[in-house]
């Protein structure tokens, strides 16, 4: 088996390096979570507050934080006109409500995007903003306009701060398997989709995976979600070295999965810091999550896969020139994210990533990493290509391919 484990001497050197890096980050950047906490109010919070005071057909509206099953039952009790009325009155609330019908959320978020676009158009003309601020407002306005197009299926949207977003590819209601792409640092509404290096952005990753799933199984009925509905760390700073963002993201990820329609199996694909989110979430995720795949992972906040507390299969991939391999895989005083998921001692099923290049190349068409992700996403486990010499990869694999 090809060993990914480091020597004791190298681990000690990396530990010293990690501590040095931490001190530099603290001295130069500060604790970004404290610095950026300005107490701003959120449009989403305002929308939820309005929802809590609202009624439909003489009935009070349910608690927006109620379990997804209860909210689903509420929406099912309404007629089409009433559901559309709620989407029009409370677009941000309905568009982000796990348990609301997917098509209704798409409709509501299209309205919310239109409202946010108008706000950004006004900000473009706001003389109090710097030229750079006006330029960012223009970029956001254009992005929101693109996301409003009829073919886009926006499952979640929050314009607050750098913004959060999630988009569906495929038919979520009819899918027999669902794949969820969880991205890492520097993910926001402006980096959600790119034309340059498009497969390094959530939309490009999800589109590539959706196409690959249908390539490996043309009869597959799958849906893929580009899920950037958490506040990701900005840059490789203290936020990225701790689990704070991952902990809040894990709660949101768990809530989203529990709100998905039907009972189809769910596979998570967690890139870079996204793998920290998935590692923290693993213990509480519902049993319909059958597979958790990490790529370019700095760690999953665990020393072994068995410590994640999930029955899901844990897969890991890393290409040979990904710089993440030089990050100390350790956790000291809350800094760092634990053991290396591709190390033999961790116990994940290590996938081949042949053809992938660098830290963001795992979803590039033509790579073995993307093909492996697609085989997992369609339940074709017998066709997964393991890393050279890995003897855990195929152990006790069972599943049913999608038809």
């Amino acid at each position: 088996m090809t060993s990914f484990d480091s020597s004791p001497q190298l681990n000690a050197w990396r530990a010293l390096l990690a501590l040095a890096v931490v001190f530099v980050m603290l001295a130069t950047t500060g604790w970004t979570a404290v610095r950026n906490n300005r107490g701003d109010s959120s449009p989403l919070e305002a929308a939820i507050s309005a929802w809590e005071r609202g009624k439909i057909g003489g009935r009070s509206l349910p608690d927006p934080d109620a379990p997804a099953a209860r909210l689903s039952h509420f929406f099912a009790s309404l007629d089409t006109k009433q559901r559309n009325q709620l989407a029009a009155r409370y677009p941000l609330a309905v568009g982000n409500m796990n348990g609301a019908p997917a098509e209704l959320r798409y409709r509501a978020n299209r309205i919310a995007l239109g409202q946010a676009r108008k706000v950004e158009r006004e900000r473009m003309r706001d003389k109090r903003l710097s030229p750079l601020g006006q330029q960012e407002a223009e970029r956001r306005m254009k992005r929101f306009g693109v996301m409003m197009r009829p073919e886009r299926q926006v499952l979640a949207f929050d314009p607050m701060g750098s913004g959060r977003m999630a988009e569906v590819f495929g038919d979520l209601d009819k899918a027999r398997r669902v794949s969820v792409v969880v991205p890492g640092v520097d993910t926001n509404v402006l980096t959600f989709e790119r034309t340059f290096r498009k497969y390094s952005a959530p939309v490009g990753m999800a589109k590539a995976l959706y196409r690959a799933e249908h390539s490996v199984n043309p009869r597959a009925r799958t849906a893929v979600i580009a899920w950037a509905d958490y506040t990701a760390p900005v840059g490789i700073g203290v936020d990225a070295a701790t689990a704070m963002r991952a902990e809040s993201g894990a709660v949101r990820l768990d809530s989203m999965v529990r709100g998905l329609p039907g009972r189809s199996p769910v596979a998570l694909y967690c890139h870079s810091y996204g793998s920290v989110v998935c590692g923290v979430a693993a213990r509480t995720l519902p049993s319909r999550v059958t597979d958790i795949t990490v790529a370019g992972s700095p760690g999953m906040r665990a020393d072994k896969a068995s410590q994640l507390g999930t029955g899901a299969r844990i897969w890991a991939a890393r290409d040979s020139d990904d710089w993440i391999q030089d990050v100390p895989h350790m956790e000291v005083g809350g800094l760092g994210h634990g053991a290396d998921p591709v190390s033999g001692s961790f116990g994940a099923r290590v996938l081949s990533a042949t053809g992938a290049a660098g830290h963001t190349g795992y979803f590039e068409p033509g790579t073995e990493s993307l093909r492996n992700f697609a085989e997992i996403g369609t339940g074709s486990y017998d066709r997964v290509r393991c890393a050279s010499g890995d003897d855990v990869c195929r152990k006790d694999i069972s599943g049913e391919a999608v038809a």
Side-chain angles (χ1 to χ4, degrees):
M1 173 179 176
T2 301
S3 175
F4 292 96
D5 292 314
S6 304
S7 67
Q9 294 86 352
L10 183 56
N11 279 335
W13 180 86
R14 285 179 169 176
L16 291 174
L17 176 62
L19 292 175
V21 168
V22 168
F23 284 124
V24 170
M25 290 191 298
L26 288 174
T28 58
T29 67
W31 289 90
T32 57
V34 174
R35 185 186 67 219
N36 291 331
N37 184 11
R38 299 172 182 170
D40 294 333
S41 60
S42 163
L44 177 55
E45 290 171 352
I48 290 174
S49 179
W51 168 278
E52 290 173 335
R53 300 189 302 270
K55 292 188 176 184
I56 188 77
R59 301 164 56 189
S60 295
L61 301 180
D63 181 351
D65 293 323
R70 189 179 305 169
L71 291 170
S72 177
H73 179 76
F74 164 74
F75 281 103
S77 72
L78 305 176
D79 59 34
T80 300
K81 182 179 178 180
Q82 289 175 318
R83 287 194 289 268
N84 290 339
Q85 285 176 342
L86 290 177
R89 290 178 192 170
Y90 316 103
L92 268 179
V94 174
N96 290 276
M97 196 168 292
N98 294 313
E103 291 292 340
L104 188 66
R105 292 178 69 172
Y106 305 156
R107 175 190 292 268
N109 282 319
R110 199 166 291 120
I111 297 170
L113 282 158
Q115 294 174 345
R117 188 169 181 264
K118 290 179 182 177
V119 171
E120 298 301 333
R121 186 185 289 115
E122 291 301 316
R123 293 181 68 241
M124 286 171 55
R125 305 186 182 98
D126 190 339
K127 300 302 182 183
R128 294 170 298 179
L129 291 180
S130 68
L132 188 62
Q134 291 176 330
Q135 183 181 36
E136 180 176 326
E138 181 179 13
R139 291 177 63 205
R140 285 168 65 96
M141 185 199 72
K142 290 179 178 178
R143 171 53 48 83
F144 297 161
V146 169
M147 298 304 297
M148 285 174 61
R149 292 174 182 170
E151 71 273 14
R152 306 303 288 257
Q153 300 181 137
V154 178
L155 188 69
F157 169 62
D158 184 356
M160 181 67 179
S162 59
R164 301 194 298 253
M165 193 171 286
E167 183 176 10
V168 176
F169 300 92
D171 191 328
L172 199 55
D173 290 316
K174 296 181 180 178
R176 290 193 59 189
R177 281 183 176 264
V178 177
S179 297
V180 181
V181 175
V182 182
V185 300
D186 292 328
T187 300
N188 54 56
V189 294
L190 291 178
T191 61
F192 187 63
E193 182 175 19
R194 294 190 180 104
T195 52
F196 176 67
R197 295 176 61 242
K198 61 183 178 180
Y199 299 114
S200 66
V203 167
M205 293 176 179
K207 280 186 173 180
L209 179 57
Y210 184 64
R211 287 193 294 262
E213 288 178 348
H214 286 267
S215 176
V216 300
N217 187 346
R219 296 169 55 205
R221 283 190 287 163
T222 66
V224 179
I225 302 173
W227 189 82
D229 192 26
Y230 80 105
T231 302
V234 178
I236 310 299
V238 173
D239 275 0
T242 67
M244 183 183 70
R245 299 294 186 188
E247 287 168 354
S248 59
V251 173
R252 300 185 66 82
L253 179 61
D254 179 74
S255 180
M256 185 277 294
V257 172
R258 291 181 184 278
L260 292 175
R263 299 180 179 179
S264 51
V266 175
L268 305 182
Y269 300 85
C270 319
H271 177 248
S272 194
Y273 189 84
S275 66
V276 186
V277 177
C278 293
V280 174
R283 187 173 301 276
T284 60
L285 288 168
S287 59
R288 67 184 295 185
V289 175
T290 57
D291 298 273
I292 300 175
T293 303
V294 299
S297 174
M300 300 181 73
R301 306 295 292 187
D303 290 327
K304 295 182 179 296
S306 59
Q307 294 175 356
L308 293 171
T310 176
R313 287 170 285 262
I314 308 299
W315 308 82
R318 188 174 70 210
D319 66 63
S320 59
D321 62 350
D322 187 339
W323 58 261
I324 204 75
Q325 64 190 309
D326 296 321
V327 171
H329 286 88
M330 54 180 290
E331 189 272 322
V332 178
L335 295 166
H337 302 301
D340 185 351
V342 300
S343 66
S345 60
F346 187 77
R349 304 167 190 269
V350 183
L351 300 167
S352 170
T354 299
H359 186 56
T360 59
Y362 296 98
F363 290 83
E364 287 278 349
T367 60
E368 282 201 359
S369 51
L370 179 61
R371 182 178 179 84
N372 278 328
F373 299 165
E375 301 289 14
I376 293 168
T378 58
S380 305
Y381 300 110
D382 59 327
R383 297 207 296 262
V384 167
R385 298 172 184 173
C386 303
S388 177
D390 185 84
D391 56 2
V392 176
C393 186
R394 296 190 179 280
K395 184 179 180 182
D396 300 325
I397 287 180
S398 62
E400 180 182 349
V402 203

